[in-house]
Amino acid sequence: MTATAPTASAVEAPQRRGALTQSVRDSLVIARRNLIRMLRIPEMIIFGIIQPVMFVVLFSYVFGGSIAVGGSTSAEAYREFLMAGIFAQTVTFATAGAGAGIADDMHKGLIDRFRSLPMARGAVLTGRTLADLVQTALTLVVLAAVALLVGWRTHENLGKVLLGFVLLLLLGYAFSWIGALIGLSVRTPEAATSGGLIWLFPLTFISNAFVPAENMPAFLRHIAEWNPFSATVQACRELFGNFPPGYRAPDAWPMQHPVWASLIWSVLIVVVFRTLAVRKYRSAA
């Protein structure tokens, strides 16, 4: 009898599964390393929580009652309108920390040591972004508790509320890949922090996070309505039931279908910037 030689596809399939398993394992090891590092430096977590808490308190009590939302200038209406924007701003501002952490590892030569090990190429970056995602989730929990204390409430069922927080975490994870690319592209952690924040301010303020986009000039309004940040904010307001009475969504597609728009934007950002970051990691000196 003659033995049948295995086909190329039959040989490659286990190899692909093995490579995927190793990549997942290596990514979890790196994520665990970064989480342990965060626990040993609690200031990283504490300062990451203090800033968004300050935003909640300041915006709620300083601007509450000064900005008309849906024809109402009550502090309660603005507080509910505001919170989705604060949540989204918090998860995206974690980008600067992700970039600074990777730049610090590059500066200390740690990335070069990882590159010399027999591990999946993308595992270092994936592990780092997963650890940042855990920190972001912790920050959101604390922030939501503070928001409840100052009077924020949701008006939809638990499933929709949880979906809103999932979209926020997905947006934060997507933006952490932008931070990873920035961290690999600069020479110092300080430059990564500056580079991670300088573009976030126009992104978050030319949006519907803090004021209704329809109050902006026409050219800014169109930018705000197609801003991926605005899509997630709009989706969270819809899922939390935080639209003011009589609110009518703008006609732009992302504002009419914010949940789908948020998902599409976040997945697209992950695909594009993960590809660029892994490519940069492979060629980084």
Side-chain angles (χ1 to χ4, degrees):
M1 297 177 64
T2 57
T4 304
T7 63
S9 59
V11 174
E12 290 173 359
Q15 291 178 343
R16 286 196 295 268
R17 287 195 295 269
L20 179 61
T21 301
Q22 180 184 358
S23 179
V24 172
R25 186 187 304 117
D26 293 343
S27 298
L28 293 177
V29 169
I30 297 296
R32 181 174 177 270
R33 173 253 176 192
N34 282 285
L35 288 173
I36 292 174
R37 181 187 180 191
M38 290 177 188
L39 292 175
R40 289 177 177 173
I41 312 176
E43 302 94 303
M44 296 173 60
I45 300 175
I46 294 171
F47 291 144
I49 292 174
I50 290 176
Q51 179 181 331
V53 169
M54 289 175 58
F55 272 113
V56 170
V57 176
L58 289 174
F59 273 85
S60 296
Y61 292 107
V62 175
F63 294 104
S66 301
I67 298 176
V69 177
S72 172
T73 57
S74 71
E76 293 76 13
Y78 183 67
R79 192 174 296 124
E80 293 199 351
F81 177 85
L82 169 72
M83 283 314 306
I86 295 290
F87 288 147
Q89 184 190 53
T90 299
V91 301
T92 53
F93 270 43
T95 300
I102 291 175
D104 187 49
D105 288 343
M106 287 281 291
H107 186 66
K108 293 177 179 177
L110 187 62
I111 295 293
D112 289 333
R113 291 197 289 274
F114 281 139
R115 282 160 51 87
S116 67
L117 296 175
M119 60 190 302
R121 287 298 187 187
V124 173
L125 302 180
T126 302
R128 174 75 205 200
T129 54
L130 288 175
D132 290 333
L133 181 64
V134 173
Q135 183 179 359
T136 301
L138 175 61
T139 303
L140 276 181
V141 170
V142 176
L143 192 58
V146 174
L148 290 171
L149 289 175
V150 299
W152 171 69
R153 296 293 183 268
T154 60
H155 305 285
E156 294 289 351
N157 60 61
L158 180 61
K160 287 187 176 182
V161 173
L162 291 177
L163 178 58
F165 282 106
V166 168
L167 291 178
L168 287 166
L169 291 175
L170 181 59
L171 180 72
Y173 182 70
F175 274 60
S176 68
W177 281 106
I178 301 178
L181 180 60
I182 293 172
L184 291 168
S185 303
V186 299
R187 296 183 180 181
T188 64
E190 293 80 8
T193 301
S194 299
L197 287 175
I198 193 170
W199 58 275
L200 279 174
F201 280 101
L203 182 80
T204 54
F205 281 93
I206 306 177
S207 72
N208 60 358
F210 307 112
V211 296
E214 51 268 29
N215 294 348
M216 299 179 182
F219 74 99
L220 285 181
R221 183 174 68 249
H222 294 312
I223 294 174
E225 290 171 350
W226 286 88
N227 185 341
F229 182 84
S230 294
T232 299
V233 172
Q234 187 83 350
C236 288
R237 286 185 183 132
E238 179 178 297
L239 294 169
F240 295 160
N242 284 160
F243 285 130
Y247 174 80
R248 180 181 179 275
D251 293 332
W253 187 86
M255 298 296 98
Q256 291 288 330
H257 307 87
V259 174
W260 282 109
S262 177
L263 284 170
I264 292 170
W265 272 120
S266 295
V267 171
L268 183 62
I269 292 170
V270 170
V271 171
V272 171
F273 283 92
R274 187 184 188 280
T275 301
L276 294 175
V278 172
R279 186 178 301 171
K280 184 69 177 179
Y281 172 80
R282 289 174 176 172
S283 62

